[in-house]
Amino acid sequence: MHEKCGVVGIALRDREVARPLYYSLYALQHRGQEAAGIATHDGFQQYDHTDTGLVGDAFDEADIDDLTGTRGVGHVRYPTSGGVGTCCAQPFSVSFKSGSLAVSHNGNLVNTEALRDTLAEDGHTFTTDADTEVITHELARNLLSAAPIQAIAETMEQIHGSYSLTVLHDETVYGIRDPKGNRPLVLGELDDGYVLASESAAVETLDGEVIRDVAPGEVIRLATDGTEYTSHQLATAESAAHCFFEYVYFARPDSVIDGRRVYEVRRDLGARLWEQSGIDTDVVMPVPDSGRAFAAGYAGAAQDEGADVEFAEGLMKNRYVGRTFIMPTQEQRERAVRLKLNPIKHTVAGRSVTIVDDSIVRGTTSHQLVDIVRDAGAEAVHIRIGAPPIAAPCYLGIDMPTREELIAADMSVDEIEDAIGADSLAYLTAADIARVLDFDSTELCLGCVSGAYPYDIEGEKSDRETLYPPVGVEDPPAEGD
Ligand code: AMP
């Protein structure tokens, strides 16, 4: 099960924690709209509330009032194609011999089945097929025989894959980031406590200050009385594997992840796109909202070079249409794009247009947009994409379709250009991404681009053996080399 989610954990000195948790879940709503949940502890017992839907729908005043205590964890869950329901809502809670546990997870384990089998042999029973339940049971088992930090270290040795976790064990909150730092997790300070959250925007929403990112393999323990935190570096990996797609699409533009400002990254990627494949047109316009920062960077770089190009909003988004991505049939997805995006005719009629977006996945959005903008009278339609072609699935927490559905899985850029009907199409390369992010390409997870993954995944290639650095990631040698 692919879990692209948001997590939070807060410990306060002497203020009830439910409301700050609720607000921070609002700040993380873009990371998951299927379900939301909070677990708190008041020193005596744990309280839980989870429900389906948006944060605003999942809780009412009475639910928040019932969540008593000054520390707790929360979760927003991303929609996956099947299995909508409260069964997999998080935090995932259990009570066991030595206390209570509530676990919020963002990421995806790659050894869930093997671990579940081992735990089942030891008598653990499971109520869902979610990897989070496996993590919770593994941790509970280790807590029976070891002190918490030791039990977490033992759990981290067993669970493989991507995980940013916030855990409430009895009355103590922990934040845990996987040894490759695949998913983000940040530590912040409030006037009267500490917060751990998937993104810095959640800390700022609470009027807090970001202290720093949780390091890959690090565990942060928030003191129960909210007065301090302690750091435990429990695991190291030979290299990080930060998900580049967080920067390109998933995270909020106002967040800072691993020291990189997401909005600036997107602008710089847009500028790079102009450098690499800029084309003179009358107008540059973003796909709202995903392409906005890229288009601003692209148009800005073009204008800096003296190009006579207008930067305009030429597509209007209907905010009340849900994400097209999760529509089950292709026809529904196409209809949804048309409902969602409408061109401003006088911006495009009789003009050559460059449309900038962050990514092409199935190709539905760009195909539809080319048609829509041509129908509105555009003379030429060029597409520029601020990421490399997405050619392989994600096993590590981003909800991506299978290879059969990914347009770049078996088509070249020229073929995709034909398929979507654009006058021209250009992407960035993985090397562009690494350069703009200022990471070595080996520190990034580029599995969905290269088809080679930084974790061992059955039936897939590893980028750590034959493909180190991953194929296609380095710049090609200059001519004459
Ligand atoms: P597609 O129409 O299938 O080519 O998808 C591309 C559009 O979906 C772009 O506008 C992206 O911003 C957006 N997108 C990319 N990845 C995802 C994802 N994992 N979930 C939802 N939307 C996405």
Side-chain angles (χ1 to χ4, degrees):
M1 186 165 319
H2 290 197
E3 307 255 348
K4 186 179 91 164
C5 305
V7 300
V8 61
I10 302 177
L12 299 175
R13 256 161 247 159
D14 53 20
R15 182 163 55 111
E16 289 291 292
V17 79
R19 216 159 280 274
L21 282 169
Y22 174 68
Y23 296 143
S24 55
L25 291 183
Y26 256 106
L28 298 174
Q29 183 78 82
H30 63 291
R31 299 186 69 87
Q33 302 88 42
E34 186 187 81
I38 290 177
T40 60
H41 204 287
D42 66 357
F44 300 101
Q45 73 175 93
Q46 185 183 304
Y47 302 85
D48 290 276
H49 179 83
T50 57
D51 207 344
T52 49
L54 298 172
V55 177
D57 300 326
F59 298 89
D60 59 26
E61 279 298 315
D63 299 327
I64 306 259
D65 289 343
D66 288 346
L67 289 162
T68 52
T70 57
R71 46 269 178 201
V73 294
H75 189 262
V76 283
R77 182 184 147 81
Y78 186 73
T80 46
S81 30
V84 179
T86 46
C87 84
C88 305
Q90 296 185 21
F92 192 89
S93 293
V94 290
S95 41
F96 61 114
K97 219 162 107 198
S98 58
S100 62
L101 259 186
V103 176
S104 294
H105 175 208
N106 172 212
N108 203 52
L109 297 192
V110 296
N111 67 335
T112 306
E113 264 141 52
L115 265 181
R116 192 190 294 115
D117 289 349
T118 315
L119 285 162
E121 275 166 27
D122 282 357
H124 290 255
T125 50
F126 292 88
T127 54
T128 73
D129 61 359
D131 52 0
T132 310
E133 186 172 10
V134 172
I135 297 174
T136 311
H137 279 262
E138 180 65 33
L139 183 55
R141 172 166 81 161
N142 293 326
L143 280 164
L144 291 176
S145 57
I149 293 295
Q150 178 61 26
I152 292 172
E154 287 168 14
T155 305
M156 289 170 81
E157 269 170 38
Q158 295 302 320
I159 58 178
H160 300 154
S162 63
Y163 53 90
S164 278
L165 303 166
T166 51
V167 173
L168 179 66
H169 172 230
D170 292 339
E171 48 186 323
T172 307
V173 173
Y174 299 86
I176 305 170
R177 194 170 181 202
D178 78 63
K180 298 186 189 220
N182 187 256
R183 299 280 135 223
L185 190 63
V186 73
L187 171 67
E189 184 167 11
L190 307 176
D191 283 345
D192 57 351
Y194 289 93
V195 53
L196 292 149
S198 291
E199 290 185 38
S200 58
V203 177
E204 289 172 1
T205 299
L206 300 178
D207 288 329
E209 293 278 333
V210 171
I211 299 173
R212 62 178 175 83
D213 293 274
V214 178
E218 185 185 21
V219 174
I220 300 278
R221 175 187 186 276
L222 303 186
T224 310
D225 60 3
T227 53
E228 60 174 4
Y229 69 89
T230 47
S231 154
H232 309 264
Q233 185 64 47
L234 295 188
T236 48
E238 94 199 53
S239 163
H242 301 300
C243 169
F244 84 95
F245 211 66
E246 287 278 350
Y247 295 96
V248 164
Y249 170 75
F250 198 28
R252 278 170 62 141
D254 52 340
S255 282
V256 182
I257 299 179
D258 288 314
R260 280 102 178 136
R261 298 189 188 100
V262 174
Y263 185 78
E264 267 172 42
V265 165
R266 290 181 190 166
R267 272 191 71 114
D268 292 350
L269 289 169
R272 180 95 188 143
L273 202 49
W274 167 261
E275 278 166 33
Q276 300 290 81
S277 61
I279 182 160
D280 272 329
T281 57
D282 298 319
V283 59
V284 171
M285 54 198 221
V287 176
D289 300 303
S290 50
R292 200 162 269 140
F294 295 87
Y298 180 94
Q303 287 159 353
D304 285 350
E305 263 186 23
D308 179 21
V309 63
E310 185 194 357
F311 174 52
E313 297 278 345
L315 293 162
M316 278 303 117
K317 181 168 165 178
N318 180 337
R319 292 183 189 285
Y320 306 99
V321 181
R323 291 187 169 211
T324 54
F325 212 76
I326 56 166
M327 304 277 169
T329 70
Q330 185 60 18
E331 203 203 320
Q332 279 172 298
R333 279 192 289 271
E334 283 167 17
R335 167 63 34 202
V337 176
R338 194 65 194 86
L339 280 174
K340 194 156 139 183
L341 294 168
N342 195 47
I344 299 179
K345 282 206 174 115
H346 72 264
T347 306
V348 299
R351 306 175 84 192
S352 64
V353 173
T354 304
I355 300 175
V356 185
D357 203 0
D358 66 313
S359 59
I360 294 181
V361 180
R362 294 185 174 90
T364 316
T365 306
S366 15
H367 189 179
Q368 289 280 303
L369 283 180
V370 171
D371 286 354
I372 291 169
V373 171
R374 273 200 215 286
D375 286 350
E379 270 174 8
V381 185
H382 301 272
I383 304 279
R384 292 294 176 271
I385 299 295
I390 304 294
C394 177
Y395 297 93
L396 299 160
I398 301 276
D399 191 32
M400 288 281 192
T402 56
R403 277 194 175 80
E404 289 71 57
E405 291 171 285
L406 289 167
I407 193 165
D410 56 7
M411 278 196 201
S412 67
V413 176
D414 285 348
E415 287 167 337
I416 299 172
E417 183 182 295
D418 281 352
I420 65 176
D423 289 281
S424 81
L425 166 69
Y427 290 90
L428 286 180
T429 64
D432 292 321
I433 301 282
R435 176 161 311 138
V436 168
L437 280 173
D438 196 22
F439 277 121
D440 197 285
S441 55
T442 56
E443 296 173 296
L444 290 172
C445 177
L446 290 156
C448 61
V449 172
S450 63
Y453 299 86
Y455 300 82
D456 293 324
I457 296 165
E458 217 186 298
E460 298 285 2
K461 284 183 285 190
S462 157
D463 72 358
R464 309 281 123 168
E465 295 157 16
T466 51
L467 302 160
Y468 196 89
V471 156
V473 166
E474 290 308 300
D475 279 333
E479 267 177 42
D481 274 8

